[in-house]
Amino acid sequence: MKIQLFVPCFVDQLFPQTAFNMISILEKLDCEVVYNPQQTCCGQPAFNAGHWNESKIVAQKFLDDFDPENYIVTPSGSCTGFVRNHYHKLLSGKIPPKDLGVKNPLLRNIFEFSEFLVQKLDYTKIKASMDGVGTYHDSCGALRECGIKSAPRKLLENVEGLKIVETEDSEVCCGFGGTFAIKYEPISTAMTEQKVHNAVEKGADYIISTDLSCLMQMDGYIKKHNYKIKTIHIVDVLSRGLNPKYSSNSGYCVS
Amino acid sequence: MNQLHAKENIIEKIKQGLNRSGKNDSSHEVGLQSIYFNVNDLESVDQFITENSLLGVQVYRCKNDNEFIEAFRNVSKSKAWKSVVCVNPGLKKRLGSPIIYDRGAMYSMDAVITECEYFVARTGTVVMSSAQPSGRVLPVYSPVHVIVGHENQMVNSISEALEDIKRQYLKEYPSALYFLTGVSSTGDIEKTLVKGVHGPKEVYIFLIED
Amino acid sequence: MRTIQGKFHRESQSKAEDLEHRRMMNHALNQSEIAFQNGKQQFQNLDKAKEDAQSVKEKATIHLDRYLLEFEDRFTKNGGKVIWARDGKEALEAVWKICAEKKAKKIVKSKSMVTEEIHLNAFLQKKDIEVIETDLGEYIQQLSEEPPYHIVAPSIHKSKEEVAQLFHEKLGVRPHLGPEELTMVARRQLRTEFQEADIGITGVNFLLSDIGGVAITENEGNARMVTAFPNTHIAITGIEKVLPSAKDLELFWPLLATHGSGQKVTVYNSIFTGPKHRNETDGPEDMYVILLDNGRTNILSDPEMRESLHCIRCGACLNVCPVYKNIGGHTYNTVYGGPIGSVITPHLSGMKEYGHLSHASSLCGACTEVCPVKINLHELLLKNRRKSVEQKNTFRLEKFSWYIWKRSMLSRRMLNTANGNTKERMFRYLFKKSWGENRAIPTFPKKSFNEQWKERNSKIEK
């Protein structure tokens, strides 16, 4: 199976190891992974800020950078949800009728990593192991834009040595929200603070998610306040125990 | 202020606003059949009683009028109601007893007893109207509200009740219709549930089979 | 209008850092959530209920003129009087005219967000008319001289100790009373007021066009009292509250009750079709319904925003909004707060002044997920952001930043120009202040994935 890798802009800049780990996993599952080095970004940051003209131009480049007939897999529920649910709005320029189907096949072929593994590949073949207690954070993009809830949990169940605990607020926003985290820092921080405290109180050693933007937000708070809890992307959890093709490190999201 | 002007202006703005596209009538099928857990006729009284017990409302099922009167007297005695107001002539006659007074006693009453228009099984609702002799004030002002009705006044849903009212009043609806479910409550002080805020603190329902 | 935005920044910071406020709101909203999960159990198919409700509301909105005229026709035939008000000023004038005619000195009021919108109480008080709020939460807020904190639960933010202290100070009762005792105090006080009032004013939950009636929903019984004792009843409503038929209440009463307070249906659902009939025992001799536009036709005329008029004011979006939870109701400084308030206020009161509310959101989408009439609330916030940019409300610096962003994203080369250290320094320089004191600056790896991949693949090729 041929898979096109989409490395979101912030993963490219801040968490390159996660992208390499994802390649390792996909290749372990017998996929042929291709990467177009011209790619940059799906255009979501500008869209969310209301600058749709700039977003549209970058979105059009995105469509040129990928082959619409092959799968695209990305370690981000947020980017996946944006392309899948909002590209037609952004690019059609008109108010879409209620039941506009997904016209461009690319919109049907883009997947977030964990949903792809569970829906399209035999994920039980991955033998990862990680000791400790983890709690899963449902990123808003993954949960509400893509409907991802059980896939990551299924994958984490299979990790040897990892105990998963649920917090009451797993579905509550971490407080990142793109420019919101900068424009309204006190509110953003208050939201993050509560997420971290609740995870710590549940006895978790790790906060795991499909979205590095969330993890980065929570990690920033954790580091500043010297908490022991760590944030880790689900790709990095699952790549543990693999013989990586590329040099790996501990796999924590901040290398 | 020119009323006609305001009305015309608003209607005109609405028409113009809607003309600016996006005016598609939805093809979505609206239908209530599968939305709630439906109550079938055989279960309706039980459903009504269950709902009310969840709401803290005591429902007494009586085979006939005599049973009702006895049950009511027992409740009245056990609650030590000294003054029970009843303004429904038919009911008054059946209840007889010297503890029943008229509307004038409303400021010192312990309870009011009224009939009702319908009962709604799915939600445990009592339907009343301003067309009844009890009117608007008495049933809400009283600290305790006792309702008596017949099982054949039971319908399964709110829309059935509304249909029946429409038929009953030949479209000349009473000025007020009341759908009463449970007991006056509030959670406005730190989400603590308190009963009997403005309306009755206690409600009792007597359902007569015959 | 930077001051409105500046005030919002300051107050949101202050509230977000207030741990006692956080505790209160978490407690209250957790209770709401538990109740909501319970209330949902009555639905065999909640998704269909919401789709049906959305459909009914769409129908009501796209035929709004017809339904309003039908309502007026029937309500008038029932003996009622309809008054049309283009804005708050006209609505207030209409109320004043009735008060003057009836020589009213005292008014009792049940909960109505529309009356907050037109600042009814302040207006009447200036005319020397006493206005008494009778909903317990509103009564508490009135005693504290504060506006409501939440669309459905006006005093959600106050602890029972605060309420006890308030009653002690303002009503002279013993200090440290519990919630039950406090409620009985309010009950006793207000009973007299109901009976002495000249006019009763209510809001409206739904306008029933086919029977010419107004539906009012409550748990306490104060709206029943307000419409039972006084000789005149005035119901004030936004024009968007229309339902095509009374039968729609079968759907809307339970949806409103479940999403508003986790009940199957609210305790008292009343329908008023007009003043008392000659043969009825009691009730007001006159009933007026004031139909208020006040900017709603503006929203109606924007096809993208139109669905926000479907709102049934259940308050569920506030209950699930993490921003509302952390900053509370007063910080918005608007009549309607939370997600729905942030969506509609720019269109009612100005995008320049209130557009910032649409940015004070992480776009988590919890509001859209919970809305019983399926309004795409977080998408409407996005659209507000876009409209704000189109209306040129953005700072030049921000516009320029997005221009630079676009150029970078179009050029792989540009993105790969600086190394990680430089990027981190740049990030620190640009965002240190706004990133705040509570988060460590992220560490930038020396090389991006793109650069590393190219290196590794060129090695392999070699």
Side-chain angles (χ1 to χ4, degrees), chain C residues 316-353:
Chain C
C317 58
L318 278 77
N319 293 344
V320 300
C321 178
V323 173
Y324 172 81
K325 184 172 76 167
N326 282 291
I327 69 176
H330 289 165
T331 306
Y332 290 83
N333 204 18
T334 52
V335 174
Y336 304 100
I340 186 66
S342 304
V343 165
I344 63 177
T345 306
H347 303 278
L348 298 176
S349 312
M351 181 64 82
K352 204 167 174 182
E353 296 81 353

Side-chain angles (χ1 to χ4, degrees), chain B residues 10 31 43 52 54 59 74 79 86 97 102 108 115 119 135-136 147 149 166 169 177 194 208-209:
Chain B
I10 292 174
E43 299 166 341
N52 274 288
L54 291 169
V59 179
N74 286 338
K79 302 282 170 192
C86 173
S97 168
D102 271 313
S108 56
E115 292 185 319
F119 299 107
R136 296 192 186 200
I147 300 139
K166 187 171 168 182
Y169 287 98
L177 291 169
V194 177
I208 306 174
E209 219 177 294

